[in-house]
Amino acid sequence: MTRHRYTARTVDPHELYEKSVQDPAADVALMIRWFERRRRRVPLVLREDFAGTAWMCAEWIRSDPARRAVGVDLSAATMAWGRRRHFRPGNPDGADPRRMRWLRLDVRSARVPRADLTCAFNFSWCVFLDRPALLRYFKAAQRGLAADGLFALDIHGGPTSFTPGRDERRMGGFTYVWDQGAVDPITHRTLRRIHFEFPDGSRRRNVYRYDWRVWTLPETREALLDAGFRRVDVLWELYDKNGEGSGIFRHVEHAKNDDSWVAYLLAWK
Ligand SMILES: C[S@@+](CC[C@H](N)C(=O)[O-])C[C@H]1O[C@@H](n2cnc3c(N)ncnc32)[C@H](O)[C@@H]1O
């Protein structure tokens, strides 16, 4: 196996971002499983909000020849990178570009076609800093769904989500650093940054910066219900025998407030 020789000077940040924080095949499988279980039909149209490089859309399209996807994002440059990486015509590993629609729009826009399933992952929806802004987004997501549609999002919590700190993960050829700033107790606003470090000692700091609000799970769930969703299920991750996240999620009504947790919220129209 050839090991990449990553170094700050030549590295492609989108490639490292995808490797570090995304697992779209698992997310797509989870969303389809829950949709089919509850709705007894096959979902065909995905809308990925805050799509960035739209890797999720590519996995969705690859999962079934009848599937189509819509990626919504404000960054033309990030979407252009995603088009080259995941949708290049003739690439046997790529997704069919004819079944993909790119929309350079705010996720709150009404000009987005209807979807069976909409997702907003990696906590991107935390860009909305107050409840009216969040509610406006959740209402747009609700309106943009088919009558039996599902809106899936993820949320990070636990005591350490409120404390400053660095989480470093060796990724094979580089180190991913999640740098968490202090949370303002009055506004819950915080700065979160991603840095990358390389075996030759070089580094790229502040490659991604997020000015976010830390939304609690009850606040988020109540906002989803106020936006018109009928019910919101919480999927909680089970732990393996070493206390690590297992990647297996169960629908729960109550949970233990572990130091740091990630949950899925499934909001049903
Ligand atoms: C954290 S990245 C998410 C990338 C990827 N989809 C993921 O799940 O990891 C956030 C993306 O949201 C986009 N974005 C931020 N605010 C937005 C808005 N109001 N409407 C649409 N896209 C937005 C940014 O351009 C950026 O590409």
Side-chain angles (χ1 to χ4, degrees):
M1 204 173 78
T2 49
R3 241 174 118 77
H4 277 286
R5 286 179 204 282
Y6 290 113
T7 177
R9 204 165 41 80
T10 54
V11 83
D12 183 333
H14 291 311
E15 182 187 338
L16 302 196
Y17 175 91
E18 287 193 344
K19 278 192 195 321
S20 304
V21 303
Q22 290 195 276
D23 186 2
D27 289 331
V28 163
L30 179 135
M31 291 189 289
I32 293 172
R33 194 163 59 246
W34 280 91
F35 188 97
E36 292 184 348
R37 192 178 287 174
R38 283 274 151 76
R39 297 308 195 209
R40 305 270 164 218
R41 74 173 179 95
V42 175
L44 294 179
V45 183
L46 173 76
R47 161 177 162 184
E48 182 183 4
D49 279 349
F50 309 98
T53 64
W55 191 12
M56 189 82 73
C57 293
E59 284 298 325
W60 178 264
I61 285 170
R62 274 196 289 261
S63 70
D64 187 312
R67 289 210 160 109
R68 292 178 289 119
V70 181
V72 186
D73 200 285
L74 287 172
S75 169
T78 308
M79 291 195 284
W81 188 97
R83 194 182 277 123
R84 289 194 300 276
R85 168 59 57 107
H86 301 297
F87 298 87
R88 197 193 291 275
N91 172 3
D93 299 329
D96 181 352
R98 293 165 303 181
R99 291 189 275 131
M100 175 65 188
R101 195 156 161 205
W102 300 87
L103 292 178
R104 189 179 165 208
L105 285 177
D106 189 290
V107 291
R108 291 165 293 180
S109 164
R111 286 185 290 135
V112 180
R114 289 218 148 192
D116 295 322
L117 225 156
T118 293
C119 65
F121 283 150
N122 272 320
F123 328 116
S124 308
W125 53 275
C126 294
V127 289
F128 299 121
L129 300 177
D130 59 34
R131 198 170 190 278
L134 187 69
L135 208 52
R136 213 183 117 209
Y137 170 49
F138 285 172
K139 282 182 178 166
Q142 198 267 3
R143 273 196 307 270
L145 283 169
D148 62 350
L150 165 63
F151 176 40
L153 51 161
D154 57 3
I155 181 164
H156 174 215
T160 58
S161 68
F162 284 91
T163 50
R166 269 167 73 96
D167 180 22
E168 296 186 10
R169 230 173 336 116
R170 292 177 83 126
M171 299 301 305
F174 68 96
T175 300
Y176 159 85
V177 183
W178 177 247
D179 186 346
Q180 203 167 275
V183 176
D184 179 330
I186 296 173
T187 61
H188 275 193
R189 216 161 145 177
T190 182
L191 192 63
R192 312 243 144 147
R193 294 174 296 159
I194 293 176
H195 320 296
F196 296 112
E197 297 173 356
F198 304 96
D200 63 1
S202 63
R203 59 182 66 189
R204 289 281 293 267
R205 287 185 53 78
N206 303 322
V207 182
Y208 298 96
R209 293 174 100 246
Y210 306 111
D211 177 3
W212 277 351
R213 170 162 168 178
V214 180
W215 290 94
T216 67
L217 198 153
E219 280 172 331
T220 311
R221 194 184 211 187
E222 284 164 13
L224 287 162
L225 292 169
D226 287 351
F229 289 98
R230 282 168 199 266
R231 69 182 270 185
V232 180
D233 295 332
V234 180
L235 303 188
W236 205 259
E237 192 171 16
L238 302 181
Y239 291 94
D240 62 22
K241 55 183 186 314
N242 303 319
E244 299 289 326
S246 65
I248 300 168
F249 287 79
R250 286 278 148 77
H251 175 206
V252 296
E253 294 299 340
H254 302 280
K256 194 166 138 265
N257 195 20
D258 296 305
D259 277 348
S260 173
W261 48 257
V262 172
Y264 287 96
L265 298 181
L266 302 183
W268 300 94
K269 186 156 173 176

